[in-house]
Amino acid sequence: MTRPNTPKSLAIVAAGLLSMVAMAGCAVVLPIEAEKDTPEAAVDISAYAAPSLTTTGQSVAVSLAAQNVIMPATLTTSESSGLAYMREEEKLAHDLYAAFAEKWGLRLFANIAASEATHTATVLGILERYDQPDSAAGNAAGEFSDPSLQTLYDSLLAQGSVSLAAALHVGAAVEEIDIIDLEERLAQTTNADIVRVYTSLKNASGNHLSAFVSTLARQAGESYTPQYLDAGAYTALISGLPGNG
């Protein structure tokens, strides 16, 4: 399936999810069960406010520098713009999941929000190591410098606030798009630092996608159909994850 360029790719999620919200049952609030197979331990999502993200980013930058990895003196234009975009895309996932955790009380959202906080801080660490500006600087939860991401966040937040099933559909779709965007960015760089980070983020997104899909099946009795990943790629990804083989 041909996908629009990255700056537009996430923006099309909103339109695609409108029908999914209707199918999920707009007026039904699903019962919430204790999670048994979440990818991370339960956390207090209040610990992931903006100051913590910045501090973590600085720590990541120091850690990367301490590795003394030989690196290019500068980034290419595509590498720089890609990091700026992924910094905010990971923040979008964090902010959505934190809001859904508060709305629906489902531990899975809090767990994955914690993981996304680490992701966006890791991208910040790379930006700082290469003396690049922080595209998310000064932005509170739910605020984005990229207008397309701001529009998308507002739309997805509204859709995921309709029902728990709708929120899980939103989470799964965001992780699909994140995987696609990371694959696209990986194809644009040979920088070892960036490849290492993007590969780690992609693997984590696969785990998150699997968690959303399995929780949707358990909570709503729904089988998830991939919206953006090729069906074959989706099946290979899900079946290749630990516990799904």
Side-chain angles (χ1 to χ4, degrees):
M1 176 179 63
T2 301
R3 187 177 58 85
N5 293 332
T6 299
K8 298 179 181 178
S9 61
L10 276 171
I12 64 175
V13 178
L17 287 175
L18 287 174
S19 60
M20 289 194 293
V21 171
M23 294 174 62
C26 297
V28 178
V29 176
L30 299 174
I32 298 175
E33 302 173 356
E35 291 301 305
K36 299 178 182 180
D37 59 351
T38 52
E40 292 88 16
V43 295
D44 178 4
I45 61 175
S46 65
Y48 292 89
S52 295
L53 295 181
T54 301
T55 301
T56 304
Q58 293 170 344
S59 298
V60 171
V62 172
S63 176
L64 288 169
Q67 296 176 31
N68 294 320
V69 176
I70 298 176
M71 62 183 190
T74 59
L75 300 179
T76 66
T77 300
S78 62
E79 288 169 342
S80 179
S81 62
L83 286 167
Y85 192 83
M86 293 311 302
R87 161 75 163 147
E88 286 213 296
E89 184 172 303
E90 298 294 338
K91 179 181 182 296
L92 178 146
H94 166 269
D95 293 355
L96 274 176
Y97 302 158
F100 292 160
E102 182 175 356
K103 173 73 175 180
W104 300 113
L106 188 67
R107 192 176 71 182
L108 175 67
F109 282 121
N111 291 350
I112 299 183
S115 179
E116 299 295 352
T118 301
H119 295 176
T120 191
T122 300
V123 177
L124 174 59
I126 294 288
L127 288 170
E128 291 176 341
R129 186 178 189 195
Y130 287 89
D131 196 27
Q132 298 292 305
D134 177 15
S135 51
N139 291 341
E143 294 182 356
F144 303 90
S145 300
D146 188 302
S148 68
L149 290 177
Q150 185 65 65
T151 298
L152 176 66
Y153 174 84
D154 295 340
S155 176
L156 294 184
L157 180 64
Q159 292 174 43
S161 297
V162 171
S163 71
L164 177 57
L168 290 167
H169 273 291
V170 168
V174 168
E175 296 301 335
E176 280 192 68
I177 294 295
D178 199 35
I179 290 169
I180 293 171
D181 285 346
L182 285 165
E183 288 177 341
E184 183 175 303
R185 300 304 186 186
L186 278 165
Q188 297 172 350
T189 183
T190 57
N191 181 299
D193 287 341
I194 299 175
V195 169
R196 186 182 305 111
V197 168
Y198 283 174
T199 300
S200 177
L201 298 188
K202 179 186 170 184
N203 291 339
S205 287
N207 290 328
H208 297 169
L209 173 59
S210 178
F212 284 130
V213 168
S214 63
T215 302
L216 180 65
R218 182 170 61 254
Q219 294 280 13
E222 295 184 23
S223 296
Y224 182 75
T225 300
Q227 299 298 302
Y228 302 98
L229 285 170
D230 174 82
Y234 170 81
T235 299
L237 173 66
I238 294 297
S239 63
L241 292 171
N244 293 333

